[in-house]
Amino acid sequence: MRSPSSCLVLLGSVFGLRSSVSKKNGMMRSNKKTFALISSGLAVGGLSRFLTTRRWASAVLTELQAPSHPAFALIGTERVEELDAECYVYEHEKTKAQVMSVVAAEENKVFGVVFRTPPADSTGLPHILEHSVLCGSEKFPTKEPFVELLKGSLQTFLNAFTYPDRTCYPVASQNEKDLRNLATVYLDAVFKPRAVLDPYVLKQEGWHFEVDKENKLEYKGVVYNEMKGVYSNPEALLNRAAQQALFPDNTYAVDSGGDPIKIPELTFKDFTNFHSKYYTPSNAKIFFYGDDDPLERLNFLDSYLSELPASVSVSTDTKVAMQPLSIITPRYEQHPFPSAESQHMISINWLLTDKQLKPHEELALALLDHLLVGTPSSTLRKALTDSGLGESVLGGGLSDELIQPTFTMGLKGVKAQDVAKVEPLILDTLQTVINNGGFDQDDVASSLNTIEFQLREFNTGSFPKGLSFMLGVMRNWIYERDPVEAVRFEEPLADLKSNLKNNQNYLPQLIDTYLISNTHRVSIEMVPDAEMEARETAAEAARLQALREEMDETQLQKVKEEMQILQERQAQADSPQALATIPTLDVRADIEPKVKSIPRQVQKLSDHTTLLTRTLPTAGILYADLALDLRSVLDPISEIPLVPLFTRMLTETGTSEYDAVALRRAIGAQTGGLSASALATMRVSHVISNPEDIVYRLIIRGKCTKDKSQNLFNLMTAILTDANFKNSKQRVIEMLKETKAAYESSFRTSGQQYAAARIGASLTRAGYIAEKSSGVSHYYAVLDAIESAQSNWPDFLARLESMRTRILQHCDLVINLTGDEATLHAAPVEALRTQLEASALENKFDAQDWAQIAPLEKATENEGYAVPTQVNYVAKGGRFYPVGYSPRGQDAVIRRVLSLDYLWNRVRVMGGAYGGSCNVNPTTGTFIFSSYRDPNLEQTLTTYDHAVKYLNELAIDQTELDKAIIATIGELDNPLTNDQKGFVSLRHYLDGTTDEVRQKWRDEVLATSKADFIKFADELNTMLKHNAKAVVFASAASLEAASSSLPEHNQLKITTLIN
């Protein structure tokens, strides 16, 4: 996956289930069942039968008029009623490329190309090629067309990612011309990349040697360094070990992302051979989705494919083989991970089947998974949590992204003497479910309702619906299975309900078949090794030293020359002629100058309550939010760190009517979901607000069908007023330990987020709240809270009860509802208001005095946090706009140029980091640089310091400036689902954002000129000289090595965060 900034794209589940797809081991790997529901229907006959019989065209909906094109053979047409989409599948006659064209009423259009790319080794070939093909092509000979598209497109999604067996290249845009531009560049990138002709692309993106001042060799390369970061993550190491143990005989036994030890074995010949074998039209699955003309799609695609060589048949030699269930006696493996702590990790992993599952069987496994691990009160998750054997549950349960599904559960933070107890606990819990005849019927109904609600809602959040659809069908299509069956759910859902009704032992039988009686099981224990990091560093140094000793002076000189050539190429700007080949939009003709408004009606219901409503087409679903003031009632020093725990307790401790399990059951049965969180932000105006002028609210969010609105409101009231804090000591301690474990994992892998938070905390109250709630300070507060809850529960409980009492007594409440007219009319708002105001005092509380937290805001000392990692996360920033200053939309444009030109080239391309970016916040007035998985520390800080010089010397032409303006407008116009529109509207109401403010910002973006860059540079220079703060997350060795050479203004105060 390519990341233009320090923030990786995390893909949410297709239907908004709790699954997510994250990048692990350089590939896409599901933390949960990635697309279990959208891929819940697998055709028994497979794609080959589908292709030969053309059963769609003749058997289902012959009235559909699929566009006809002489260059394409129509394979079939079918309407997917569940998702209101018409699907046409074609084969390009000349090249044998397979094409799916989906017509849907969705303006956020999607195009994608997917190849099967099963690797034979762990050199990272698929992953490195994924990076490399986007570094220039025959028609677009710039260094990185990918970055040029980021610089000047309205794209709503632009990325690429590598799975263990396939590589995906998707793009999305609401603008049809823009989508065609993106698709044109991507097609040429994958089929005619510069990388197969220029070995320096492999050197940059994969690996190469560099020679330091002492003539010592070093490994460098974007993917090489990325994977060193991945291999610093203990959970990633565990996932890799589990996958390879479960799949010893097929392509999943190697690492498609690349093992840092193996990556330097990759040769240019292997690289080019891999491309020529796998990146062919006959091995391609091409996808369109949206409301654009389906005939024009074919015209567009043929205009490119017709230029490629002909193919005789669809590629079959890239198929992925099934892994037989060959483990007769369950296995146990131990692997080390870098840590000086004494706590272990243990996961139990199953390969569930070596047969193709039927649609209702896949959906049944999804239901079983939800019952076992889907919520904190689910049977297996609760048993692991309640056992006290570990700090946090590990593993996501069912994962079905590969050709065969797997199931994984375990614990992390386990004492050595308790490791052996975890596997028996899991097996005994599963056996108990069988012995008891299955699950409580109310639990089954609740889980089934949750799954069905999310299937029907098809809410993909900020992830394009078309991309969810694409990745869902690919789950079948690349395995020669019927692709459209992958997105159907009505029939398998009916079959599942029938099986549940007619066979009371249906779910217990699934547990026995796929888990208890399934011996293809591997337990992976991860053992902490305090010397592992040093040992691996020494081993790499020894390998490099041995290679250096084998080189004579001529060979060494060649390495130096190649290094010099690479650096010169990286530093050389693209020619105007090359840049002109990248298609772009016209800033005047193609860009809408006016902001889009979100409707909102405001009604004052009482002195305590305000009602916000907006009428949107939600198909009978009500989206409801409650926002209660925290700013006036909480102590900023002692109580803010308790808010994240407080919000979890609301939904996980039960009430007087429901215990924790029953509450979760009621939420699942009666709603589409219910959650609690906190919102902290500065108030918005035309100028930077006083740092104390903040919005701090408790947010309760829920959704339901129109007929269940009273149930939803009753549950919202119950968790707010009646959550059972008193009897929740053990659960609270478990929550705190889970939070502790999550931090200790995240510090290693997402250090840039925590570094930026530390900088923000020193600048504004909102930044302070964020860091006290989700940063290093909060981590330390969690450690203290564990001790307090264990040693003095009554006092700890009293603090939480007092917080709730004051929130309800103050009762500054906003009710926010989004739905269609009939749904809004049916919502019993008055009853909800009455219930929530029952405890309200006549007079609201006065605002708390937050002047006491001023000392933290003045803390500008540079900080270095030592964590076990092989890479660095480097941030630097400060106050960019003073209070009272009017932020300018032009600065958002300049920020993009700084990120995607200067930092991309210096930090990523030349520095070898996986990502580098900067951000200027017009609300808080802060500016922050950050890098991600960075091999450098001092060099990166120096790069930040030289940004002013870059801006002052930048000679940007109008074409490049227009591109930056277009891309900035694209950021402002990202599509929103109806529930997102409702929440954004609520946030705007709370923080004071108006259409006038938004329009002013947009006008300023569109008016950006070259002169604005100099003004920006002056302000950045002032910040860097007078109030900038650096924060770095890195290994202790890296921090100590840097401390001796960093200039005084970048010197770091080093703290060991985790060992």
Side-chain angles (χ1 to χ4, degrees), residues 71-130:
F72 294 89
L74 177 65
I75 303 302
T77 69
E78 187 166 358
R79 178 167 180 77
V80 181
E81 292 288 351
E82 293 93 328
L83 302 179
D84 193 22
E86 295 181 3
C87 302
Y88 312 130
V89 175
Y90 301 87
E91 183 178 288
H92 190 248
E93 296 275 25
K94 179 181 178 182
T95 65
K96 306 307 176 186
Q98 295 178 20
V99 183
M100 177 175 287
S101 180
V102 182
V103 179
E106 174 60 49
E107 66 176 356
N108 194 15
K109 293 164 273 289
V110 171
F111 170 83
V113 184
V114 179
F115 301 95
R116 276 196 303 244
T117 53
D121 56 43
S122 293
T123 58
L125 249 172
H127 186 194
I128 295 170
L129 190 57
E130 171 230 301

Side-chain angles (χ1 to χ4, degrees), residues 442-655:
D442 288 340
D443 286 333
V444 176
S446 175
S447 291
L448 191 60
N449 180 73
T450 296
I451 290 173
E452 184 171 355
F453 186 99
Q454 293 166 344
L455 280 169
R456 298 192 186 285
E457 185 188 21
F458 191 31
N459 187 340
T460 62
S462 58
F463 195 57
K465 284 187 176 182
L467 185 49
S468 294
F469 195 111
M470 174 186 129
L471 296 178
V473 299
M474 290 301 167
R475 167 64 182 82
N476 277 10
W477 204 3
I478 68 159
Y479 301 131
E480 307 299 331
R481 301 168 181 169
D482 188 331
V484 175
E485 286 293 339
V487 293
R488 290 195 173 283
F489 59 82
E490 290 289 8
E491 185 176 341
L493 186 61
D495 290 343
L496 174 59
K497 290 179 178 179
S498 176
N499 287 334
L500 291 169
K501 180 180 179 180
N502 297 325
N503 181 1
Q504 292 186 349
N505 289 320
Y506 183 64
L507 293 175
Q509 288 169 354
L510 293 181
I511 295 175
D512 182 64
T513 298
Y514 292 109
L515 298 173
I516 291 295
S517 296
N518 178 6
T519 59
H520 197 102
R521 183 177 84 232
V522 180
S523 298
I524 305 291
E525 179 188 357
M526 301 299 292
V527 181
D529 185 341
E531 305 300 323
M532 183 176 176
E533 182 181 335
R535 192 168 59 248
E536 289 184 340
T537 300
E540 179 180 293
R543 288 195 299 273
L544 288 166
Q545 178 62 27
L547 290 168
R548 170 66 185 87
E549 290 173 355
E550 292 175 2
M551 291 182 180
D552 57 28
E553 285 305 311
T554 301
Q555 292 171 318
L556 181 63
Q557 185 60 34
K558 182 180 179 183
V559 170
K560 291 180 179 180
E561 290 172 356
E562 290 178 347
M563 182 178 75
Q564 180 67 25
I565 292 171
L566 178 59
Q567 291 173 348
E568 289 173 354
R569 290 189 177 196
Q570 291 170 335
Q572 184 177 6
D574 287 312
S575 69
Q577 293 78 12
L579 289 172
T581 64
I582 304 294
T584 188
L585 301 177
D586 187 305
V587 73
R588 282 156 289 279
D590 298 319
I591 302 302
E592 171 57 52
K594 300 298 182 182
V595 298
K596 294 181 180 179
S597 296
I598 300 174
R600 180 174 67 223
Q601 292 76 47
V602 182
Q603 183 181 357
K604 190 71 174 177
L605 300 182
S606 71
D607 289 342
H608 288 278
T609 304
T610 300
L611 173 66
L612 309 181
T613 58
R614 65 205 50 76
T615 303
L616 293 171
T618 61
I621 295 177
L622 176 70
Y623 298 99
D625 309 304
L626 307 179
L628 292 103
D629 183 38
L630 299 177
R631 170 70 176 82
S632 300
V633 299
L634 297 187
D635 179 85
I637 300 296
S638 64
E639 292 181 330
I640 287 176
L642 293 176
V643 170
L645 173 65
F646 180 88
T647 58
R648 279 194 71 180
M649 292 176 69
L650 292 179
T651 60
E652 294 187 29
T653 58
T655 66

Side-chain angles (χ1 to χ4, degrees), residues 69 71-72 92 94-95 97 111 113 115 133 136-140 180-194 275 279-281 284 286 288 296-310:
H69 192 287
F72 294 89
H92 190 248
K94 179 181 178 182
T95 65
F111 170 83
V113 184
F115 301 95
V133 300
S137 65
E138 182 178 291
K139 292 184 178 181
F140 307 106
R180 294 289 186 266
N181 291 345
L182 298 170
T184 300
V185 174
Y186 262 43
L187 282 169
D188 205 54
V190 297
F191 290 120
K192 299 179 180 179
R194 174 172 67 94
H275 180 270
Y279 280 60
T280 64
I286 301 175
F288 293 91
E296 286 305 310
R297 296 173 180 174
L298 299 180
N299 289 332
F300 161 76
L301 187 58
D302 181 57
S303 69
Y304 187 85
L305 292 181
S306 62
E307 299 177 359
L308 300 179

Side-chain angles (χ1 to χ4, degrees), residues 260-528:
I261 295 177
K262 298 292 185 181
I263 288 174
E265 297 176 7
L266 177 59
T267 67
F268 186 62
K269 181 179 180 181
D270 292 337
F271 180 74
T272 56
N273 286 344
F274 193 89
H275 180 270
S276 65
K277 178 177 181 179
Y278 293 108
Y279 280 60
T280 64
S282 63
N283 190 45
K285 314 295 184 192
I286 301 175
F287 180 88
F288 293 91
Y289 179 98
D291 60 4
D292 52 317
D293 186 341
L295 179 58
E296 286 305 310
R297 296 173 180 174
L298 299 180
N299 289 332
F300 161 76
L301 187 58
D302 181 57
S303 69
Y304 187 85
L305 292 181
S306 62
E307 299 177 359
L308 300 179
S311 298
V312 176
S313 63
V314 174
S315 177
T316 59
D317 62 350
T318 62
K319 288 184 178 180
V320 178
M322 280 271 195
Q323 168 65 51
L325 295 183
S326 56
I327 299 177
I328 305 304
T329 302
R331 296 175 183 170
Y332 193 97
E333 296 183 4
Q334 287 185 323
H335 299 269
F337 72 95
S339 176
E341 304 291 338
S342 60
Q343 294 175 321
H344 297 227
M345 297 190 296
I346 174 74
S347 74
I348 318 304
N349 310 272
W350 283 269
L351 178 61
L352 298 184
T353 182
D354 56 4
K355 304 293 190 298
Q356 182 178 326
L357 296 174
K358 296 178 180 179
H360 70 271
E361 291 172 331
E362 282 216 338
L363 194 55
L365 286 178
L367 173 62
L368 179 62
D369 177 74
H370 195 270
L371 285 161
L372 288 173
V373 301
T375 72
S377 60
S378 294
T379 303
L380 182 53
R381 180 175 292 272
K382 188 173 187 300
L384 286 165
T385 301
D386 291 351
S387 71
L389 295 175
E391 290 186 343
S392 180
V393 172
L394 186 70
L398 178 67
S399 174
D400 72 342
E401 70 198 19
L402 304 179
I403 194 169
Q404 295 157 261
T406 61
F407 187 89
T408 296
M409 284 302 289
L411 286 169
K412 59 182 176 181
V414 183
K415 296 178 181 178
Q417 63 267 29
D418 290 333
V419 169
K421 301 175 185 177
V422 176
E423 181 174 345
L425 172 63
I426 291 175
L427 296 176
D428 290 347
T429 302
L430 295 172
Q431 187 62 57
T432 299
V433 175
I434 296 174
N435 295 344
N436 291 341
F439 303 91
D440 186 294
Q441 287 306 302
D442 288 340
D443 286 333
V444 176
S446 175
S447 291
L448 191 60
N449 180 73
T450 296
I451 290 173
E452 184 171 355
F453 186 99
Q454 293 166 344
L455 280 169
R456 298 192 186 285
E457 185 188 21
F458 191 31
N459 187 340
T460 62
S462 58
F463 195 57
K465 284 187 176 182
L467 185 49
S468 294
F469 195 111
M470 174 186 129
L471 296 178
V473 299
M474 290 301 167
R475 167 64 182 82
N476 277 10
W477 204 3
I478 68 159
Y479 301 131
E480 307 299 331
R481 301 168 181 169
D482 188 331
V484 175
E485 286 293 339
V487 293
R488 290 195 173 283
F489 59 82
E490 290 289 8
E491 185 176 341
L493 186 61
D495 290 343
L496 174 59
K497 290 179 178 179
S498 176
N499 287 334
L500 291 169
K501 180 180 179 180
N502 297 325
N503 181 1
Q504 292 186 349
N505 289 320
Y506 183 64
L507 293 175
Q509 288 169 354
L510 293 181
I511 295 175
D512 182 64
T513 298
Y514 292 109
L515 298 173
I516 291 295
S517 296
N518 178 6
T519 59
H520 197 102
R521 183 177 84 232
V522 180
S523 298
I524 305 291
E525 179 188 357
M526 301 299 292
V527 181

